[in-house]
Amino acid sequence: ADANLLSLVPTKGPEGVREQIERMRQALKEDRAALDVALGSLYTLFDQISRKPEEVSFRRVRRDHPKFNEDIGRHVGGKEVLIAAGFRLETLDGVKCFFSREPNIEHDMNGWSDWFDGLKK
């Protein structure tokens, strides 16, 4: 299942995010309310991460979280947009998650800057 999800995201970074959001828009063109909720939830997620990148709880999205699946994950492109944005499929504390791993700023300042800039795009 994970390999299938990853295969749906050939392009990463800002262009990949745009592609996945466009897939979502096309799939939800008849359900504007669901699209608005999904995009609003994605905005909130990325806004929280960019405001407090050190806060691990903002960078960890449980794959089975009911609210995530209701607002974002159940839609075409919903899970894929996180992969395109650099989230990884990981198991943390026994829970399958989408996780945005923050590079170590002390050892990789350029990598951290690239990671943080990518969140804001």
Side-chain angles (χ1 to χ4, degrees), residues 52-56 59 99-105 112 115:
K52 292 191 173 188
E54 72 284 356
E55 186 63 49
V56 173
R59 297 184 283 114
F99 187 65
S100 179
R101 188 167 299 282
E102 178 183 12
N104 186 319
I105 195 168
W112 188 91
W115 172 80

Side-chain angles (χ1 to χ4, degrees), residues 11-22 46 81 84-85 121:
T11 307
K12 308 285 193 291
E15 184 59 33
V17 170
R18 282 190 284 277
E19 287 175 11
Q20 297 306 322
I21 288 175
E22 184 55 32
F46 287 106
V81 74
K121 290 185 180 178

Side-chain angles (χ1 to χ4, degrees), residues 68-112:
F68 166 73
N69 284 306
E70 178 184 331
D71 291 355
I72 301 168
R74 68 186 173 111
H75 303 299
V76 170
K79 295 173 184 172
E80 296 87 348
V81 74
L82 296 182
I83 301 298
F87 282 72
R88 297 178 185 184
L89 301 175
E90 297 196 12
T91 300
L92 302 171
D93 301 324
V95 179
K96 290 185 176 188
C97 300
F98 293 97
F99 187 65
S100 179
R101 188 167 299 282
E102 178 183 12
N104 186 319
I105 195 168
E106 293 178 16
H107 297 99
D108 186 9
M109 182 62 172
N110 290 336
W112 188 91

Side-chain angles (χ1 to χ4, degrees), residues 38-58:
L39 294 178
S41 296
L42 285 167
Y43 175 82
T44 298
L45 174 65
F46 287 106
D47 184 56
Q48 289 174 327
I49 295 170
S50 66
R51 288 180 190 271
K52 292 191 173 188
E54 72 284 356
E55 186 63 49
V56 173
S57 65
F58 293 151

